[in-house]
Amino acid sequence: MRDYTAILSMHCPDRPGLVAGLTGIIHEAGGNILHLDQWVNHEENMFFMRVEWDMTGFAIPRGELDGWFESRFGSRHGVSYTLHLSDERPRMAIFVSKMPHCLYDMLARQAAGEWRVDIPLIVSNHPDLEQVARRFGVEFRCLPVTPDSKAGQEEAVLALLAGYGIDMVVLARYMQVLSDDFIQRYPHPVVNIHHSFLPAFMGARPYHAAHARGVKLIGATSHFVTAALDEGPIIEQDVVQITHKDTVDRLVRKGQDLEKIVLSRAVSKILDHRVLAYGNRTVVFE
Amino acid sequence: MRDYTAILSMHCPDRPGLVAGLTGIIHEAGGNILHLDQWVNHEENMFFMRVEWDMTGFAIPRGELDGWFESRFGSRHGVSYTLHLSDERPRMAIFVSKMPHCLYDMLARQAAGEWRVDIPLIVSNHPDLEQVARRFGVEFRCLPVTPDSKAGQEEAVLALLAGYGIDMVVLARYMQVLSDDFIQRYPHPVVNIHHSFLPAFMGARPYHAAHARGVKLIGATSHFVTAALDEGPIIEQDVVQITHKDTVDRLVRKGQDLEKIVLSRAVSKILDHRVLAYGNRTVVFE
Amino acid sequence: MRDYTAILSMHCPDRPGLVAGLTGIIHEAGGNILHLDQWVNHEENMFFMRVEWDMTGFAIPRGELDGWFESRFGSRHGVSYTLHLSDERPRMAIFVSKMPHCLYDMLARQAAGEWRVDIPLIVSNHPDLEQVARRFGVEFRCLPVTPDSKAGQEEAVLALLAGYGIDMVVLARYMQVLSDDFIQRYPHPVVNIHHSFLPAFMGARPYHAAHARGVKLIGATSHFVTAALDEGPIIEQDVVQITHKDTVDRLVRKGQDLEKIVLSRAVSKILDHRVLAYGNRTVVFE
Amino acid sequence: MRDYTAILSMHCPDRPGLVAGLTGIIHEAGGNILHLDQWVNHEENMFFMRVEWDMTGFAIPRGELDGWFESRFGSRHGVSYTLHLSDERPRMAIFVSKMPHCLYDMLARQAAGEWRVDIPLIVSNHPDLEQVARRFGVEFRCLPVTPDSKAGQEEAVLALLAGYGIDMVVLARYMQVLSDDFIQRYPHPVVNIHHSFLPAFMGARPYHAAHARGVKLIGATSHFVTAALDEGPIIEQDVVQITHKDTVDRLVRKGQDLEKIVLSRAVSKILDHRVLAYGNRTVVFE
């Protein structure tokens, strides 16, 4: 008996009968649908769906799911999709520099069993957080970056990611911009946390900029990393009210709580296969 | 017997003994302090205070308060201040174009007695909202603007403001940019509501821009109007979470609730003399 | 040509094929589905759906929609449902006592065209708000209540509601408890705003109770009215942070903004047919 | 040279001249005031102040501060106060049961240097979290509780707290109610996190109760522990919006993020000496 579920996330051009067609073939193969969320972007005539079904008694073996879906539904409707089983454990690497708050929050969630993921690798351009990695028994690799060594460092990082079989990279206040070349060569999602409510305060030192502008709230934004800095599809954002009393130091402190919660919420949703990126936006099923 | 209070809002360079000095002269004249908020900006060595005291039995008559304060405290410390009595009723004009939600919210608060203010005048560049003004018995003046007529229109508006004795202008979704000349010639505060969390999405059509960027929250910002568009000192900001399901139309609708609440909160605080602008920032005492 | 939509909100015991079955009969009759939200409560095995389709070219005339739905789908699945057309204008009555903030907010939304609803009647147990009704040209009926006259007053109110053809009652800070008898005899929804985050501070004077308890946030709750006071299905809730500085008077003032926004959000969702009550809970489609 | 500050938190009956008097004696002794917050509860005629000054060049040695304050100010005004130096490191014990999220959050903050505190001891009634303690090198003491052994267990816990010189206890989802006897005998603050927006859902299983009631938001409350369960002075509260889709399991998951942030915010403010409890309420200076 199989006590796991299948989770399909997909989008394709909208046309009549897509929900009926897909739920039909799942029922036909003996799948009991547990959750179904669908949404149509009428401006772009695009259909999005996340459907999760019980694999107990499902007629299609796990190794043949992709073929089944493609032949019965995907290829005829021009579908982009991912299909995951709930008992898979993706392998995540975390990139850090000197600030530990996001790293601790993620390692604690993984260690506590809150997330179904393995975290075999932490990469940093500074040695400062090695002890944090050690507390949780995670391999820590320090690869410093200088303007001259950047290309070589990224080459080494890509080799590490391949060697560890990493499915997903999270930049947890990694204070380096990944090159276009890196982004194009690494085939899996890269998630970042930026310490402002984007698109306000892109780039460096957003808390200083927020303080100088005199805003009454500060924010944090988690987004997929693309070639354009701080401009990838946004997954999650939140803000907190501040006052004139808040110095830059206090903004940093208030902001850290926001950063770690916003980043971890984004990662949670990705691990639940609730996030679909298309164009420069995301669909996030709740 | 006088059942009103005096409210002093001030700032000056910080030095030891300012609180003691000021509270001392108030007590000496028989004033019972009801509220005192003070804050020091240590980065700029600037002292801010709002103090409210009961005028019952106060030794200084209302007409001599400024002179008393200047001679006993203000002039020796280089103080910038305002001094108001709680029984004054400032005179506010509201500028609108076609959207009524902020206008209704403000007129209702005034009519309900929530705000101690008179609103004798509504100015618009379109005739659409005349009936709203009429419901509340407020004079409505329609002064259309074209690129050619802008200077003349502003001249006429300034004359109206002078004629009605207006102490404060609120731009309640007035879809015209006031010229530098207007701002410099009108000697009282002008408050605006911008429909984004500034500094994100400055300028026109922020909901369209927010939708295109794929943000997960939209905001509204109330600020004092200065010569630089959307860059004056921020008084109040707030945001609301949105999702991929929200079309531009739905953003507009969700945003309107935010705009009216943020603008009215800002105006409430100004009417309570809780807002001090200095440089490009505000100190807002709660 | 018909430029309106049909909106079906329904729930029934879950079974395989409900989405496929329903979307199938809509497509068959020429309906283009614009929005479809469905959700299954797996704990109670209950299926909920809201579906909206374009009526242009739909084969079933408006007068026969219920019969069509019942015969083709509803009766065989034991469905509870409502089916509305977007060009209908429900008729709403607002009940008030002395506080105008919620009343103003609702009348302004209706007058501004934000809500597709008629508001032909305001009922009050006090004369205070007659002028507010008059500003918006709405009939105002004052029916005072004393312990002795309550049964008679409710009788008169029910007759008024019938006479005006009222489809929905909103209690906008109406400071009277409707009797069980009234609730059972009035066949349409009654919506209330309670000025606390229920179930905290049920009953009278919640701001006083909140102040006495020293909470750090205050709330407002909009709910359907049932026989049990403050215990009906909750539609919408929100809170605002407060501090030790907030006196009861300031809580009242901060709370009023919350009350009117929470109540109007709830009414907006009901007018959009997004709210399904079942048991003591609501399903609210976004 | 001393590079630390003194922080005085106090309250006493209000009378004229308190700010002037206190700032006067601090200036007289050479103290430069960095922060001063004061607030008067006019309903109860009670004066509250937090003042922080630079100890560089201050005339009174650290060991004589209490005597100086008492003799010059405290005793004549009936002041209740605490006086701390910023270079002190209080000693905190954390009590847990089986859930690690709050514990991890606090240990990470301490390890990262975000909090100036020592955490030498973790007490639990279950062995489950021993490994979490070990990751951070903190002593873990498991003292199981049964109805029969409760008095003895508390005796042992009190002895441990005394032995480790613990200044402050934090209940980080400790699923035992401390007896009145314990509360009365332990002379330092005990802080709890309750997983609801109190006073709603007091007692056990608040997420189940919230789900059954159908609320649209869930909350968390951090408060000082007093003899009355869940009724001590509230320090910090926050909520998060939920929907009908949220099962109890999802409420638990969403709530955990809230619990840890609310608890850690409360502890941060206590460590900064910003929280004054009086009666059943708190004054929290920002």
Side-chain angles (χ1 to χ4, degrees):
Chain A
M1 200 189 121
R2 290 172 273 178
D3 58 349
Y4 54 92
T5 63
I7 302 152
L8 173 75
S9 294
M10 56 156 281
H11 68 275
C12 66
D14 190 31
R15 72 186 64 179
L18 289 171
V19 174
L22 183 60
T23 57
I25 65 164
I26 294 170
H27 286 307
E28 190 188 291
N32 181 28
I33 292 177
L34 301 176
H35 301 287
L36 183 153
D37 279 288
Q38 61 88 47
W39 175 70
V40 176
N41 180 335
H42 291 285
E43 294 157 326
E44 304 180 24
N45 197 45
M46 193 61 71
F47 175 89
F48 296 84
M49 178 148 61
R50 179 187 185 276
V51 57
E52 179 168 5
W53 68 90
D54 190 349
M55 287 291 286
T56 310
F58 197 65
I60 316 300
R62 60 192 302 156
E64 298 172 21
L65 280 173
D66 282 293
W68 163 80
F69 175 72
E70 283 280 15
S71 66
R72 295 299 309 277
F73 191 86
S75 63
R76 79 185 61 169
H77 295 302
V79 170
S80 298
Y81 76 100
T82 61
L83 213 168
H84 292 278
L85 296 170
S86 65
D87 62 353
E88 298 165 1
R89 288 183 76 86
R91 292 170 68 78
M92 181 192 295
I94 303 176
F95 288 23
V96 294
S97 291
K98 296 184 172 182
M99 276 165 295
H101 55 288
C102 291
L103 177 62
Y104 265 128
D105 198 64
M106 299 174 75
L107 292 174
R109 286 173 198 269
Q110 198 274 342
E114 192 181 319
W115 284 351
R116 183 181 279 272
V117 69
D118 290 325
I119 303 179
L121 177 66
I122 294 169
V123 170
S124 183
N125 57 331
H126 292 284
D128 307 53
L129 301 183
E130 178 160 13
Q131 204 209 337
V132 179
R134 210 176 276 158
R135 286 188 200 279
F136 288 82
V138 180
E139 182 72 18
F140 180 89
R141 291 297 184 91
C142 181
L143 295 104
V145 186
T146 63
D148 287 347
S149 71
K150 187 173 176 105
Q153 193 254 16
E154 288 196 342
E155 204 67 49
V157 171
L158 282 167
L160 265 178
L161 298 179
Y164 278 84
I166 298 299
D167 296 321
M168 177 181 176
V169 167
V170 179
L171 309 184
R173 299 300 312 275
Y174 181 61
M175 304 304 277
Q176 284 292 318
V177 178
L178 296 175
S179 71
D180 287 11
D181 180 62
F182 183 99
I183 298 300
Q184 265 152 35
R185 287 170 61 192
Y186 183 67
H188 298 294
V190 180
V191 178
N192 186 38
I193 182 73
H194 183 77
H195 40 315
S196 80
F197 48 94
L198 289 175
F201 308 123
M202 292 196 282
R205 296 166 72 86
Y207 292 129
H208 288 77
H211 188 259
R213 177 62 188 91
V215 291
K216 296 300 186 189
L217 43 80
I218 54 169
T221 303
S222 181
H223 61 93
F224 288 114
V225 176
T226 58
L229 180 64
D230 297 339
E231 297 193 357
I234 293 172
I235 304 161
E236 183 88 17
Q237 290 189 290
D238 210 348
V239 299
V240 65
Q241 299 279 343
I242 59 168
T243 78
H244 59 270
K245 293 188 181 179
D246 288 303
T247 57
V248 172
D249 281 353
R250 283 176 58 151
L251 295 192
V252 169
R253 192 166 159 179
K254 285 188 175 185
Q256 286 179 348
D257 277 12
L258 208 55
E259 293 162 26
K260 76 185 189 191
I261 291 295
V262 167
L263 179 58
S264 288
R265 271 194 217 142
V267 171
S268 295
K269 288 174 179 173
I270 292 169
L271 293 175
D272 285 347
H273 311 294
R274 297 186 177 281
V275 183
L276 284 79
Y278 81 110
N280 203 42
R281 314 180 64 205
T282 61
V283 170
V284 181
F285 288 116
E286 288 301 324
Chain B
M1 200 190 123
R2 289 172 273 179
D3 58 349
Y4 54 92
T5 62
I7 302 151
L8 173 75
S9 293
M10 56 155 280
H11 67 275
C12 66
D14 190 33
R15 72 187 62 178
L18 289 171
V19 174
L22 183 60
T23 58
I25 65 163
I26 294 170
H27 285 305
E28 189 189 292
N32 182 26
I33 291 178
L34 301 175
H35 300 287
L36 184 153
D37 280 287
Q38 62 88 46
W39 173 71
V40 177
N41 179 335
H42 291 285
E43 293 156 327
E44 304 180 24
N45 197 44
M46 192 62 69
F47 174 89
F48 297 84
M49 178 147 62
R50 179 187 184 276
V51 58
E52 180 168 5
W53 67 90
D54 190 348
M55 287 290 287
T56 310
F58 197 66
I60 316 298
R62 60 192 302 155
E64 298 172 21
L65 280 173
D66 282 293
W68 162 79
F69 175 71
E70 282 281 14
S71 67
R72 294 298 308 279
F73 191 86
S75 63
R76 79 185 59 168
H77 295 303
V79 170
S80 299
Y81 75 100
T82 63
L83 212 168
H84 292 279
L85 296 170
S86 64
D87 62 353
E88 299 165 1
R89 288 182 78 85
R91 293 170 67 77
M92 181 192 296
I94 304 177
F95 287 24
V96 294
S97 291
K98 297 183 170 181
M99 276 165 295
H101 55 287
C102 291
L103 177 62
Y104 266 127
D105 198 65
M106 298 174 76
L107 292 174
R109 287 173 197 268
Q110 198 275 341
E114 193 181 319
W115 285 351
R116 182 181 280 271
V117 69
D118 290 325
I119 304 179
L121 177 65
I122 295 169
V123 171
S124 184
N125 57 332
H126 292 285
D128 307 53
L129 301 183
E130 178 158 13
Q131 205 209 336
V132 179
R134 210 176 278 159
R135 286 188 199 280
F136 288 83
V138 180
E139 183 73 16
F140 180 90
R141 292 295 184 92
C142 180
L143 295 104
V145 187
T146 62
D148 286 349
S149 70
K150 187 172 177 107
Q153 193 256 15
E154 289 196 340
E155 204 66 48
V157 171
L158 284 167
L160 265 178
L161 298 180
Y164 278 83
I166 299 300
D167 297 321
M168 176 180 177
V169 168
V170 179
L171 309 184
R173 297 301 310 275
Y174 181 60
M175 304 305 276
Q176 284 291 319
V177 177
L178 297 174
S179 71
D180 287 10
D181 180 63
F182 183 100
I183 298 300
Q184 264 152 36
R185 289 169 60 193
Y186 183 67
H188 299 294
V190 180
V191 178
N192 187 39
I193 182 72
H194 183 77
H195 39 313
S196 80
F197 46 93
L198 289 175
F201 309 124
M202 292 196 283
R205 295 165 73 85
Y207 293 128
H208 288 79
H211 188 259
R213 178 62 188 90
V215 290
K216 297 301 186 189
L217 42 82
I218 55 170
T221 303
S222 182
H223 62 93
F224 289 115
V225 176
T226 56
L229 180 64
D230 298 338
E231 296 193 359
I234 293 172
I235 305 161
E236 182 87 18
Q237 291 188 289
D238 209 348
V239 298
V240 65
Q241 298 280 343
I242 60 168
T243 78
H244 60 270
K245 293 187 181 180
D246 288 304
T247 57
V248 172
D249 281 353
R250 284 176 58 151
L251 296 192
V252 169
R253 194 168 157 177
K254 285 189 176 183
Q256 286 179 348
D257 277 12
L258 207 57
E259 293 162 26
K260 77 184 188 190
I261 292 296
V262 167
L263 178 59
S264 289
R265 271 194 218 142
V267 172
S268 295
K269 289 173 180 174
I270 292 169
L271 293 175
D272 285 347
H273 310 295
R274 298 186 176 281
V275 183
L276 283 79
Y278 81 110
N280 203 41
R281 314 178 64 203
T282 61
V283 170
V284 181
F285 288 116
E286 289 300 325
Chain C
M1 199 189 124
R2 289 171 272 178
D3 58 350
Y4 53 93
T5 62
I7 302 151
L8 173 76
S9 294
M10 55 155 280
H11 67 275
C12 67
D14 190 32
R15 72 187 63 179
L18 289 171
V19 174
L22 183 60
T23 59
I25 65 164
I26 294 170
H27 287 306
E28 190 188 291
N32 182 28
I33 292 177
L34 301 175
H35 300 287
L36 184 153
D37 279 287
Q38 61 87 48
W39 173 69
V40 177
N41 180 334
H42 291 284
E43 293 157 328
E44 303 180 25
N45 197 45
M46 193 62 70
F47 175 89
F48 297 84
M49 178 148 62
R50 179 187 185 275
V51 58
E52 180 168 4
W53 67 91
D54 190 349
M55 286 292 286
T56 309
F58 196 65
I60 315 299
R62 61 193 300 156
E64 298 171 22
L65 280 173
D66 282 294
W68 163 79
F69 175 71
E70 283 281 13
S71 67
R72 295 299 309 277
F73 190 86
S75 64
R76 80 186 61 170
H77 296 302
V79 170
S80 298
Y81 76 100
T82 62
L83 212 168
H84 292 278
L85 296 170
S86 64
D87 61 353
E88 299 165 1
R89 288 182 78 86
R91 292 171 68 78
M92 182 192 294
I94 304 177
F95 287 23
V96 295
S97 291
K98 296 184 171 180
M99 277 166 293
H101 55 289
C102 292
L103 178 62
Y104 266 127
D105 198 64
M106 299 175 76
L107 292 174
R109 286 172 198 268
Q110 199 275 340
E114 192 181 320
W115 284 351
R116 183 182 279 273
V117 70
D118 290 325
I119 304 180
L121 178 66
I122 295 169
V123 171
S124 184
N125 58 330
H126 292 284
D128 307 52
L129 301 183
E130 179 160 12
Q131 205 210 334
V132 180
R134 211 176 276 159
R135 286 187 200 279
F136 288 83
V138 180
E139 183 71 16
F140 180 89
R141 292 297 185 89
C142 180
L143 295 104
V145 186
T146 63
D148 286 349
S149 71
K150 185 171 179 111
Q153 192 256 15
E154 289 196 340
E155 205 66 49
V157 171
L158 282 167
L160 265 179
L161 298 179
Y164 278 82
I166 298 299
D167 297 321
M168 177 180 177
V169 168
V170 179
L171 310 183
R173 300 298 312 274
Y174 181 60
M175 305 304 278
Q176 284 291 319
V177 177
L178 297 174
S179 72
D180 288 11
D181 181 61
F182 184 100
I183 298 300
Q184 266 152 34
R185 288 170 60 193
Y186 182 67
H188 299 294
V190 180
V191 178
N192 187 39
I193 182 72
H194 183 77
H195 39 315
S196 80
F197 48 93
L198 290 175
F201 307 124
M202 292 196 283
R205 296 167 70 86
Y207 293 128
H208 288 78
H211 188 259
R213 178 61 188 91
V215 290
K216 297 300 185 189
L217 42 82
I218 56 170
T221 303
S222 181
H223 61 94
F224 289 114
V225 175
T226 57
L229 179 63
D230 298 337
E231 298 194 357
I234 293 171
I235 304 160
E236 183 87 17
Q237 291 189 290
D238 210 348
V239 299
V240 65
Q241 299 279 343
I242 60 168
T243 78
H244 59 270
K245 293 187 181 179
D246 288 304
T247 57
V248 172
D249 281 353
R250 284 176 58 152
L251 295 191
V252 169
R253 193 166 158 178
K254 286 189 175 184
Q256 285 179 348
D257 277 12
L258 207 55
E259 292 162 27
K260 76 185 189 190
I261 291 295
V262 167
L263 179 58
S264 288
R265 271 193 217 143
V267 172
S268 295
K269 288 173 180 175
I270 292 169
L271 293 175
D272 285 346
H273 310 294
R274 298 187 177 281
V275 183
L276 285 79
Y278 81 110
N280 203 42
R281 314 179 65 204
T282 61
V283 170
V284 181
F285 288 115
E286 289 302 324
Chain D
M1 199 188 123
R2 289 172 272 177
D3 58 350
Y4 54 92
T5 63
I7 302 151
L8 173 76
S9 294
M10 55 156 281
H11 67 275
C12 66
D14 190 34
R15 73 186 62 177
L18 289 172
V19 174
L22 183 60
T23 57
I25 65 164
I26 294 170
H27 286 305
E28 190 189 290
N32 181 27
I33 292 178
L34 301 176
H35 300 286
L36 183 153
D37 279 287
Q38 61 88 47
W39 174 70
V40 176
N41 180 334
H42 291 284
E43 293 156 328
E44 303 180 24
N45 197 45
M46 191 63 68
F47 175 89
F48 296 84
M49 179 148 61
R50 178 186 185 277
V51 58
E52 180 168 4
W53 68 89
D54 190 349
M55 287 291 286
T56 310
F58 197 66
I60 315 299
R62 59 192 302 155
E64 298 172 22
L65 279 173
D66 282 294
W68 163 80
F69 175 72
E70 282 281 14
S71 68
R72 294 298 309 278
F73 191 86
S75 63
R76 81 185 59 170
H77 294 303
V79 170
S80 298
Y81 75 100
T82 63
L83 212 169
H84 292 279
L85 296 171
S86 64
D87 62 353
E88 298 165 2
R89 288 182 77 85
R91 294 170 65 78
M92 180 192 297
I94 304 176
F95 287 24
V96 294
S97 291
K98 297 184 171 182
M99 276 166 295
H101 54 288
C102 291
L103 178 61
Y104 266 127
D105 198 65
M106 299 175 76
L107 292 174
R109 286 173 197 268
Q110 198 275 340
E114 192 180 321
W115 284 351
R116 181 180 281 273
V117 69
D118 291 324
I119 303 180
L121 177 67
I122 295 168
V123 171
S124 184
N125 58 331
H126 292 285
D128 307 54
L129 300 183
E130 178 158 15
Q131 205 210 333
V132 179
R134 210 175 277 159
R135 286 187 199 279
F136 288 81
V138 180
E139 183 72 16
F140 180 89
R141 291 296 184 92
C142 180
L143 295 104
V145 186
T146 63
D148 286 349
S149 71
K150 186 171 177 108
Q153 193 256 14
E154 289 195 340
E155 204 68 49
V157 170
L158 283 167
L160 265 178
L161 297 179
Y164 278 83
I166 299 299
D167 296 321
M168 177 180 177
V169 167
V170 179
L171 309 184
R173 300 300 310 276
Y174 181 60
M175 305 304 278
Q176 285 291 320
V177 177
L178 297 175
S179 71
D180 287 11
D181 180 63
F182 183 100
I183 298 300
Q184 265 152 35
R185 288 169 60 193
Y186 183 67
H188 299 293
V190 180
V191 178
N192 187 38
I193 181 73
H194 183 76
H195 40 313
S196 80
F197 47 93
L198 289 175
F201 308 123
M202 292 195 284
R205 296 165 72 84
Y207 292 129
H208 288 78
H211 188 259
R213 179 61 189 92
V215 291
K216 297 300 185 188
L217 42 79
I218 55 170
T221 303
S222 182
H223 60 93
F224 288 114
V225 176
T226 57
L229 180 62
D230 298 337
E231 298 192 359
I234 293 172
I235 305 161
E236 181 89 17
Q237 291 189 288
D238 209 347
V239 299
V240 66
Q241 298 280 342
I242 60 168
T243 79
H244 59 270
K245 293 188 181 178
D246 288 304
T247 56
V248 172
D249 282 352
R250 284 177 58 153
L251 295 191
V252 169
R253 193 167 157 177
K254 285 188 176 184
Q256 286 179 348
D257 277 12
L258 208 56
E259 293 162 25
K260 76 185 187 189
I261 291 296
V262 167
L263 179 58
S264 288
R265 272 194 217 142
V267 171
S268 295
K269 289 172 179 174
I270 293 169
L271 293 175
D272 285 347
H273 310 295
R274 298 187 176 281
V275 184
L276 284 79
Y278 81 110
N280 203 41
R281 315 179 64 204
T282 61
V283 170
V284 180
F285 288 115
E286 290 300 325

